[in-house]
Amino acid sequence: MKAIGLEIKRHLLTAISYMLPLVVASGLLIAIGNLMGGENVTTLEGMTFASSLTTLGVFGMGLLPSFIGGYVSYSIADRPGIAPGFLMGQIASFLGAGFLGGMVGGFIAGYLALNIRKYLKVPVWAEALMPMMIIPTLATIAGGFIMFFVIGGPLTAATSGLTNFITGLDKSQKALYGFIIGFIGCIDYGGAISKVPNLIADGLLLEGITEPEGIKVLAAMVPPIGVTFGWMLSKVVKKRIFTNQETEAIKVAFPMGLCMISEGVIPIAMNDLLRTVTATSIGCGVCGMISYMFDNGSPVPSGGVFVIPAMSKPLVAVVALLVGSIITAILLVLLKKTLTEEEVTGIKEEVEEEVDLSELSFS
């Protein structure tokens, strides 16, 4: 069972790595177009440059079910799985099953293609046609039947139920879920655990729900900014909690954090993992709570501080980011132990042994 879970995760992470450039580019196009006064239009009449950017970004977001389906299937079955996976994503868009439907369709298409290649025996003259024609066609026919007539209805209902649940949350519920999303979203600094709520946020963005994406963007910046604030606060209160090596790492982690790259905190956290993860995760949770409670959303899934102006409530975003980072800093100073000079420098002082020369004689 564990092996199956790891395999599913591997295929998902592969698909996400291919999908992220599309999500980022499309989100930035929408944000830039909206900031310039553009809007999504359906005809060339009245098209402006700003509206062309917004419209192109919307086109890109519409491709997300196909991208996730196509590249999940590609990860499973290699090149023969690409076409069936993309077409399952198109079916998901048609059904209104969105990101979830595309993901499920990608797994169906991928494993169908894989098993057709493994078990279908064809004459020697037809072997060259297998990856280009036979496998994609048969996998698409079988996958399309399953998507349209077997699981299409449940997938659509599940997507609608999730959307209705998220949009129906009241303020206190948003505060709770915002804390949970933020807490989990940066608990391992961009690792496998963090990708779970981040993937959900990306899927909800496709449905027009931007608030979880706002949490994702802001919370990812809290650990590096919070650790930097913690280093500054430790200087003020004269409590040495970072080694010289960690201080150098902070100087790298901070600019990375502004760009929404949390991984710079890992070398700092590894020396005192429990206390650091506790401080940063709580800070991320508070950041997410504030952002969600006051309905701040992000149309862009990545970009760090540079996309804050494009968020629905930039002031709320800044407050959430600062409060979460400050709480992280305070907790770091309170939780981490005071280091000795030897621990700070990493150099052990050598104690010279006294040599007794009283018994030394010369003949």
Side-chain angles (χ1 to χ4, degrees):
M1 194 69 183
K2 184 179 180 181
I4 295 173
L6 290 174
E7 183 179 349
I8 290 173
K9 184 177 78 172
R10 177 168 60 84
H11 297 318
L12 271 177
L13 293 180
T14 299
I16 291 168
S17 69
Y18 282 104
M19 183 192 72
L20 275 179
L22 173 70
V23 176
V24 173
S26 300
L28 284 172
L29 286 170
I30 293 172
I32 294 169
N34 288 344
L35 288 172
M36 295 171 63
E39 58 184 1
N40 182 36
V41 296
T42 56
T43 64
L44 280 176
E45 185 179 353
M47 177 73 76
T48 64
F49 177 70
S51 293
S52 72
L53 296 180
T54 302
T55 304
L56 187 56
V58 172
F59 288 163
M61 288 297 184
L63 289 172
L64 286 183
S66 293
F67 258 64
I68 192 72
Y71 286 112
V72 163
S73 184
Y74 166 73
S75 178
I76 296 169
D78 209 348
R79 190 172 61 177
I82 293 179
F86 268 84
L87 289 170
M88 296 309 104
Q90 287 292 294
I91 295 175
S93 296
F94 170 78
L95 294 172
F99 187 85
L100 176 63
M103 183 172 63
V104 173
F107 279 106
I108 291 172
Y111 283 112
L112 282 171
L114 184 67
N115 283 284
I116 290 169
R117 183 175 64 184
K118 186 176 180 180
Y119 295 110
L120 180 63
K121 305 302 179 184
V122 297
V124 175
W125 62 265
E127 287 180 357
L129 298 175
M130 283 286 283
M132 185 175 66
M133 184 177 75
I134 298 174
I135 295 175
T137 302
L138 293 179
T140 300
I141 292 172
F145 177 84
I146 294 171
M147 290 288 288
F148 277 127
F149 301 110
V150 180
I151 64 172
L155 276 177
T156 304
T159 302
S160 299
L162 178 61
T163 303
N164 293 334
F165 172 75
I166 295 294
T167 55
L169 295 175
D170 61 29
K171 215 171 196 60
S172 60
Q173 291 171 325
K174 286 180 178 179
L176 174 62
Y177 284 107
F179 183 89
I180 293 171
I181 294 170
F183 187 94
I184 299 174
C186 61
I187 198 168
D188 59 350
Y189 311 118
I193 299 174
S194 302
K195 283 182 171 60
V196 174
N198 293 347
L199 179 63
I200 295 171
D202 291 339
L204 291 171
L205 179 63
L206 182 62
E207 306 301 321
I209 301 172
T210 62
E211 289 82 4
E213 201 76 333
I215 299 172
K216 177 186 124 179
V217 172
L218 295 172
M221 294 187 279
V222 167
I225 296 176
V227 168
T228 305
F229 285 0
W231 173 76
M232 295 167 62
L233 181 60
S234 70
K235 294 286 186 183
V236 173
V237 300
K238 299 187 183 333
K239 181 182 179 182
R240 305 170 83 175
I241 58 174
F242 295 108
T243 66
N244 290 344
Q245 188 177 10
E246 289 171 339
T247 299
E248 292 302 313
I250 289 171
K251 294 176 183 178
V252 177
F254 179 70
M256 289 174 64
L258 295 178
C259 299
M260 199 182 148
I261 302 172
S262 303
E263 285 82 352
V265 175
I266 293 174
I268 303 162
M270 290 307 294
N271 294 329
D272 192 1
L273 190 60
L274 181 59
R275 293 184 181 92
T276 306
V277 168
T278 299
T280 55
S281 296
I282 291 175
C284 289
V286 172
C287 173
M289 179 180 69
I290 295 171
S291 180
Y292 204 0
M293 189 166 60
F294 292 99
D295 299 318
N296 174 60
S298 174
V300 187
S302 185
V305 294
F306 303 102
V307 302
I308 287 179
M311 292 184 177
S312 58
K313 296 185 178 180
L315 183 59
V316 170
V318 172
V319 171
L321 178 59
L322 289 176
V323 171
S325 300
I326 290 169
I327 286 176
T328 293
I330 294 171
L331 288 174
L332 284 171
V333 173
L334 291 175
L335 295 176
K336 287 176 72 71
K337 65 177 184 178
T338 304
L339 302 180
T340 64
E341 180 67 27
E342 183 180 295
E343 290 172 322
V344 169
T345 60
I347 301 174
K348 292 185 178 181
E349 294 182 2
E350 295 184 2
V351 180
E352 295 185 4
E353 293 184 6
E354 293 185 3
V355 180
D356 186 5
L357 300 176
S358 61
E359 297 181 0
L360 185 64
S361 63
F362 298 92
S363 57

